[in-house]
Amino acid sequence: MNRFVLAGITLLLGALPAQSVSADSGLTRLTHRQDVFGLEAVGRLDLERGSCSGALIAPDLVLTAAHCLFDKRRKRPFDMSKAVFRAGYRDGRALFESRALRGVARQGFAPFAPVSRARIIQDVALVQLERPVNTARIAPYAIDTAPARGEGVSLVSYAKDRNDAPSWQKSCRVLERDTEVLKLSCDTNFGSSGAPVFGGEGRRRRIVSIVSAGTHGGGTHVAFGMVLPQAIAELKAALRSGRGVIEANRSAVVHSGPDQNGKASTGAKFLRP
């Protein structure tokens, strides 16, 4: 049995049952309107500096990675008034776009701390938009529980060298999973942070995780995500109460716990394998 360790993340990887193993697919660029059918709610979140991936889970709520909201260089939250979400963005055009109104990271997230299992668990955020999407045109996604080890998932993301259109990996796998963290075989890079990991098929896809961190090199890809349902419930409650919310037009954030010490990035933390 091989042991995989990444900055405090320790997961045991044994041989998967033969019937559960399927080959990972490559990336498909979604260039044309028909290519994004059922994937319209995935978009690029452009920030004060850099960009991340994200997806609508309500008419005015974008799910993304918490570290996307923080400026590592300046050790502060990004100015949310300069954040814009562009759903279905392809080659300079979006199916829908809106400026951000405010954002919130999961309580306890440490934006300037090293990547660790604990940080990945908390690396979830919601961005509330100034205006809601027309759900008759773009349907937000539902959240589901994470699949079991060995099961297939898919990933849609924007990333380094492919930031002008979404790329869809139709098939990758859950390599390992415990109660709160998933290790995936999905192909990610800088900018993939916050990208939705989908379970299910067709238009019934549901988001089961988002990309927090990853490694790539030598033809091997590993990404890490978290179990979502409880995190989403906490974030919605925080938006309602205003606790920890980063408002547009100001760079201050109301902190209520140890999340003042978290790590920032405009993309996933990618480590050499």
Side-chain angles (χ1 to χ4, degrees), residues 170-187:
K170 297 180 182 180
S171 177
C172 47
R173 292 161 291 142
V174 179
L175 296 173
E176 301 182 47
R177 181 202 160 177
D178 60 22
T179 57
E180 296 180 288
V181 174
L182 286 76
K183 177 183 174 184
L184 309 165
S185 65
C186 305
D187 187 344

Side-chain angles (χ1 to χ4, degrees), residues 7-9 106-110 114-123 180-181 212 226:
I9 308 165
R106 192 176 188 185
Q107 184 179 14
F109 175 67
V115 175
S116 66
R117 181 179 183 278
R119 185 173 183 267
I120 289 171
I121 292 169
Q122 305 293 344
D123 194 12
E180 296 180 288
V181 174
S212 172
M226 71 299 295

Side-chain angles (χ1 to χ4, degrees), residues 9 30 67 83 111 127 133 167 173-175 178 181 202 220 222 232 240 244 248-249 262:
I9 308 165
L30 305 180
H67 71 256
V127 174
V133 70
S167 293
R173 292 161 291 142
V174 179
L175 296 173
D178 60 22
V181 174
T220 300
V222 174
I232 301 300
R240 289 192 297 268
N249 298 317

Side-chain angles (χ1 to χ4, degrees), residues 217-234:
T220 300
H221 301 278
V222 174
F224 289 92
M226 71 299 295
V227 175
L228 285 174
Q230 181 60 37
I232 301 300
E234 292 174 8

Side-chain angles (χ1 to χ4, degrees), residues 52-271:
C52 281
S53 303
L56 289 160
I57 62 166
D60 64 342
L61 292 180
V62 175
L63 174 65
T64 192
H67 71 256
C68 293
L69 305 188
F70 294 88
D71 187 335
K72 177 182 180 180
R73 184 179 62 186
R74 299 176 183 175
K75 296 295 190 292
R76 64 166 178 78
F78 281 120
D79 182 351
M80 295 305 296
S81 68
K82 297 179 181 178
V84 180
F85 178 70
R86 296 179 165 93
Y89 179 82
R90 307 178 325 280
D91 299 320
R93 295 185 178 183
L95 299 176
F96 165 82
E97 69 176 57
S98 173
R99 289 191 174 276
L101 183 65
R102 54 188 185 156
V104 64
R106 192 176 188 185
Q107 184 179 14
F109 175 67
F112 310 113
V115 175
S116 66
R117 181 179 183 278
R119 185 173 183 267
I120 289 171
I121 292 169
Q122 305 293 344
D123 194 12
V124 190
L126 290 179
V127 174
Q128 187 169 21
L129 304 177
E130 285 187 346
R131 62 190 184 94
V133 70
N134 180 351
T135 56
R137 186 181 183 201
I138 298 177
Y141 296 109
I143 303 297
D144 205 351
T145 55
R149 175 171 165 249
E151 291 190 20
V153 293
S154 64
L155 178 75
V156 180
S157 64
Y158 296 81
K160 180 182 178 182
D161 300 326
R162 49 183 177 87
N163 207 29
D164 290 332
S167 293
W168 183 20
Q169 188 173 15
K170 297 180 182 180
S171 177
C172 47
R173 292 161 291 142
V174 179
L175 296 173
E176 301 182 47
R177 181 202 160 177
D178 60 22
T179 57
E180 296 180 288
V181 174
L182 286 76
K183 177 183 174 184
L184 309 165
S185 65
C186 305
D187 187 344
T188 58
N189 206 330
F190 295 100
S192 296
S193 294
V197 179
F198 291 108
E201 298 178 352
R203 291 188 63 85
R204 301 178 66 181
R205 293 186 194 95
R206 293 172 178 262
I207 298 176
V208 296
S209 188
I210 60 171
V211 172
S212 172
T215 69
H216 60 92
T220 300
H221 301 278
V222 174
F224 289 92
M226 71 299 295
V227 175
L228 285 174
Q230 181 60 37
I232 301 300
E234 292 174 8
L235 288 166
K236 289 181 176 180
L239 280 176
R240 289 192 297 268
S241 69
R243 183 179 59 188
V245 170
I246 307 166
E247 300 285 355
N249 298 317
R250 70 181 191 188
S251 58
V253 58
V254 179
H255 288 290
S256 58
D259 53 332
Q260 298 181 62
N261 300 316
K263 172 164 188 172
S265 172
T266 56
K269 176 67 174 179
F270 290 94
L271 308 178

